[in-house]
Amino acid sequence: MRIKMFVIVLCLCAQSWAQGNNQYISPTKYDYSQVSQQITANCGSKYEQAKAIYRWLCDNISYDTSYSIYTADECWEQRKGVCQAYCELFYRLAEPVGLDVRIITGDAKTMNSGAEGHAWVFAIVEGDNVGVMIDPTWGAGSVNGSVFIRSDNDDSWFHVDPYWMIFTHFPDDSAYQLLPQPISRDQFDALPLIKPMWGEYGFDGKTIYDMCISGDADLPVIYKSGVGKLRIVEMPLQRTLRVGMNYRFAVRKLQQCEVAVLPKQADDGWQLQGSTYYMDYMPVKAGEVVLGIGGGGKSYFNVVEYEVAQPDAKDLARLEKVNPMLMPELTDLPGFNASVLRWYGIDGRKLLAEVRNGSVDKLPKFYSSAGEFSIVEMPFNGVLRKGHSYVFKITPHKGLNWALINEGTWYREWNVDASTGIISMSVTPENTGRLVLAVQLIDGGKYEYCIEYDVR
């Protein structure tokens, strides 16, 4: 497969400057020929030579947090330096093998500050002015306070697509933007901070660039935790999500791992189509939503981060229409579990209506007997009143014995509808304490609790 290269197109004066820019490199007292030959010994092309030098620098040179080492020779001696030193040493290692390297100066954005002075390189690897953009300093690692943290085999800053590079790097010479239409400094400052790892997840740089340069983008935050583990086929490209809206997530796993959209919803579940896992996700309340990755257990690392806006009346109306069981009035109830309520066949619209008329402020306790029966009618409030009558109607799924038990008082006289299989009973609890719906799973065995109320 042919590697995509980038052509630098310069006017005559710019070309003269570009070819002569390296005159500003500090003089050297060393002959780097031997080490250069060793680093590039197994390389069959200029592209491979540039990649080998990049990898050597990333693996062997640390960032100088004292900000005092600027030259190739000092960088070689101390095995550390600032960005200028990385680039000068790249140049010195490339020169003996005939690799043409241009040092580019300009400004770069980081997570912790605005744009500030920086240097990176353009390596000519094919023909005239055809090459790749490289930032060996950022490829080597990052600085946290006064501590350098080396990256683990990070190749995202080698052969960087110009559409990714321009989000963080603004060269003094606009020709080195390598864009069909160079942008202004004001446009650069207005771009969000996006790094080439987006490309490693499968996104197209030009597509994201076009969205951002038009001013229409509200992009989510993306982290490195999933790089090399998954490709993102589809996801929302807006940071702000809305309650009641469906969003499609689709990924391909490159390694065995767990992937989740958090917080998990009752209707969650990945579907597999070919090699792609996909899920339709609907936020139900304001807060953070993330696409996360984990190796097992309950811990996940954020891959993509969103923010769900506070719902307005339109959002809530949409949610109620498509999924009333997930309305905030229900999800905020003590003991609420949408999955359990659905297992038992409880109608979300009916439950919502009772909450709104004030008859339900707490749900009863549900035990793990899903599959044994479904509910036709029952009191939805978890607190019942002594001496009041309540109707229970259920559809048993097996030929089992059922009972209502109120602190030692048993009720077993069910009315049976032969045409529907529904059994029903009206009960007036006479004792404070617990009232439970129970089932005898084994003939002659103990009764197991299914639903529990508090009688007062």
Side-chain angles (χ1 to χ4, degrees), residues 334-363:
F336 177 84
N337 185 312
S339 296
V340 170
L341 297 178
R342 288 199 178 96
W343 285 339
Y344 287 118
I346 292 176
D347 187 325
R349 286 182 172 78
K350 185 176 180 181
L351 176 57
L352 183 61
E354 294 208 18
V355 170
R356 287 175 172 172
N357 69 27
S359 61
V360 177
D361 54 23
K362 177 184 177 182
L363 292 172

Side-chain angles (χ1 to χ4, degrees), residues 53-64 69 72 74-82 85-86 89-90 93 136-137 139-141 148 150:
I53 294 170
Y54 168 84
R55 277 262 47 95
W56 188 91
L57 289 168
C58 291
D59 294 340
N60 293 278
I61 305 299
S62 300
Y63 191 81
D64 173 27
I69 299 175
E74 288 180 289
C75 187
W76 171 256
E77 293 164 355
Q78 301 295 323
R79 290 297 194 268
K80 62 182 179 179
V82 298
Y86 273 90
L89 187 53
F90 196 115
L93 293 172
T137 314
F148 172 70
R150 192 177 303 280

Side-chain angles (χ1 to χ4, degrees), residues 298 328 364:
K298 298 181 180 179

Side-chain angles (χ1 to χ4, degrees), residues 111-185:
M111 292 294 289
N112 301 318
S113 66
E116 55 188 24
H118 190 51
W120 57 102
V121 301
F122 182 76
I124 306 298
V125 296
E126 182 182 305
D128 295 331
N129 296 325
V130 181
V132 294
M133 201 75 75
I134 306 165
D135 189 334
T137 314
W138 285 20
S142 59
V143 174
N144 184 3
S146 61
V147 178
F148 172 70
I149 303 170
R150 192 177 303 280
S151 294
D152 181 18
N153 199 34
D154 183 1
D155 286 338
S156 65
W157 291 105
F158 178 83
H159 191 171
V160 186
D161 187 315
Y163 287 109
W164 293 129
M165 197 67 141
I166 197 60
F167 282 105
T168 51
H169 292 60
F170 190 79
D172 293 329
D173 186 332
S174 62
Y176 282 107
Q177 292 183 24
L178 305 183
L179 299 175
Q181 181 64 47
I183 64 173
S184 69
R185 179 55 187 259

Side-chain angles (χ1 to χ4, degrees), residues 401 405 410 438-449:
N401 296 319
I405 310 168
W410 288 65
V439 61
Q440 188 181 43
L441 296 175
I442 301 174
D443 191 31
K446 295 192 302 183
Y447 277 75
E448 305 275 346
Y449 289 178

